[in-house]
Amino acid sequence: MEEELRCSQCTGYYHVPVILVCRHALCLACAGALQKPAAPPARSEDEGSVAPAEDLHETSEVDKLSVLSDADSGVSCSSRPTSLVGAPEGGSSSDPPPPPPVYTIACPQCSVLTPTDEAGAQGLTRFKVLAAVVDKHLERYQVAEPCQLCDAATAPRPAQVFCDQCLVFYCGPCREACHPARGPLAAHWLVSVAEGRALLRARRREREGRCTHHPQEHVSMYCLTCRLPVCVLCLHHGRHHAHDVHALNAVTKTHKVSTDANVLIIQSTEFQPYFVSVNSFNMASGLPGTIACCQPKIGAEYQTVMGICQCHGKFRFENSVC
């Protein structure tokens, strides 16, 4: 399991892991080091052509009718958002096309490019579940935190203290050389490694829910076009003003309803025989039954259920992100 908790780029334990479009994870610093400017989009032959005057006239008439229809109904809408539940995966045909990427990040494992906006790697989704697992692993097995100032040519020494002002882990020699207890540095707060990890987690939690483009603002809406949470400034002064934007709590409730529907499908009569079979097996063997006896049966039932799901195409299994 330890290999699964290490970044494929730096080979160290994941530090602020982020998710790429290929569902692989990287450290935030590693993702930032791998980001490159995106290639300019290829221009099609039809681009730049002017529509005939008749088409423009028809479009203008349609717009006028649309305005009149809104006025007659008593509700005036500047945009017609798509249904949160009924919209297809790629969005409806009336949605504006997603903006071209500013940066791309190539996955070191599968070479798939992850497009990002001007925020770059900072705008990627944080893999909070993986970060929590890594923290628990480090605490349980008392894994030493490496010094962040040791010479890169040699293996870093285990850190002994953490500076809350510098946000750096120091070993003994590096602390004496780079962080002496005199002058302005004497007022810095040095704590143990375990306390330093807890302070870093607390700081990361404080930054959660903040907009990547406007750190002083909390995200309150969700852009379905870009599939990103945005703040008020992004909506009114950013590039999301013409996108399909909805309240964040409404999108969250919609996805919760969709998840509950999938759970009901799993509990339907089509899959019931397999759950009954597993439950009857567990009841017959009893809780004290050995794991070696239970694993083959449960593994076989799991593969059968997965096969039914894939054949019917009712599910799309993805890594969960909290």
Side-chain angles (χ1 to χ4, degrees):
M1 178 181 177
E2 186 174 353
E3 295 180 359
E4 302 296 331
L5 303 181
R6 292 184 176 273
C7 176
S8 59
Q9 179 67 15
C10 64
T11 68
Y13 287 103
Y14 283 109
H15 180 67
V16 191
V18 294
I19 303 178
L20 306 180
V21 295
C22 57
R23 297 300 174 183
H24 289 138
L26 282 176
C27 297
L28 178 59
C30 296
L34 292 174
Q35 75 177 21
K36 296 180 180 180
R43 301 186 61 180
S44 60
E45 297 179 357
D46 298 336
E47 188 175 354
S49 61
V50 181
E54 298 179 358
D55 295 342
L56 293 176
H57 178 71
E58 293 178 359
T59 304
S60 177
E61 293 297 329
V62 171
D63 291 340
K64 291 178 180 179
L65 292 175
S66 176
V67 173
L68 291 176
S69 176
D70 288 342
D72 294 340
S73 63
V75 179
S76 178
C77 301
S78 59
S79 63
R80 288 181 171 81
T82 58
S83 172
L84 295 178
V85 179
E89 184 67 21
S92 64
S93 58
S94 62
D95 290 339
V102 180
Y103 299 101
T104 57
I105 300 174
C107 176
Q109 298 187 50
C110 62
S111 302
V112 173
L113 295 179
T114 298
T116 65
D117 55 10
E118 59 269 13
Q122 294 291 337
L124 294 177
T125 303
R126 303 295 195 268
F127 204 159
K128 300 178 183 178
V129 173
L130 181 57
V133 172
V134 172
D135 290 339
K136 291 294 183 181
H137 177 81
L138 297 178
E139 292 179 1
R140 179 177 181 181
Y141 295 98
Q142 299 181 354
V143 179
E145 188 76 28
C147 176
Q148 296 178 280
L149 293 182
C150 283
D151 189 4
T154 60
R157 291 180 290 267
Q160 296 181 359
V161 294
F162 173 80
C163 180
D164 185 51
Q165 283 72 26
C166 302
L167 301 179
V168 175
F169 288 98
Y170 295 96
C171 65
C174 290
R175 185 186 66 83
E176 294 293 337
C178 305
H179 200 288
R182 59 178 182 272
L185 298 179
H188 285 198
W189 185 28
L190 298 179
V191 297
S192 64
V193 174
E195 292 176 333
R197 288 172 175 169
L199 289 173
L200 288 179
R201 286 196 296 268
R203 288 177 179 268
R204 287 198 294 266
R205 283 194 296 268
E206 290 177 0
R207 292 193 296 266
E208 291 176 359
R210 300 277 183 173
C211 179
T212 55
H213 300 282
H214 309 95
Q216 73 279 7
E217 295 288 334
H218 287 276
V219 293
S220 58
M221 290 165 288
Y222 188 83
C223 178
L224 293 179
T225 305
C226 303
R227 297 184 178 275
L228 289 173
V230 296
C231 68
V232 177
L233 296 181
C234 290
L235 179 61
H236 294 288
H237 305 290
R239 62 179 187 175
H240 301 277
H241 67 278
H243 293 175
D244 190 12
V245 179
H246 294 266
L248 187 61
N249 58 351
V251 178
T252 304
K253 291 180 180 179
T254 301
H255 284 282
K256 182 179 184 300
V257 171
S258 177
T259 303
D260 293 341
N262 287 341
V263 173
L264 292 177
I265 294 176
I266 292 178
Q267 296 175 349
S268 63
T269 56
E270 183 177 4
F271 298 94
Q272 195 64 28
Y274 300 98
F275 289 100
V276 172
S277 176
V278 173
N279 291 334
S280 61
F281 173 78
N282 289 336
M283 291 293 293
S285 60
L287 292 178
T290 60
I291 297 178
C293 179
C294 295
Q295 280 182 340
K297 181 66 176 180
I298 296 178
E301 297 294 346
Y302 171 78
Q303 294 297 332
T304 305
V305 174
M306 289 292 293
I308 292 178
C309 294
Q310 293 175 358
C311 292
H312 286 72
K314 291 182 179 178
F315 300 94
R316 183 186 59 156
F317 290 95
E318 296 181 349
N319 292 332
S320 62
V321 181
C322 296

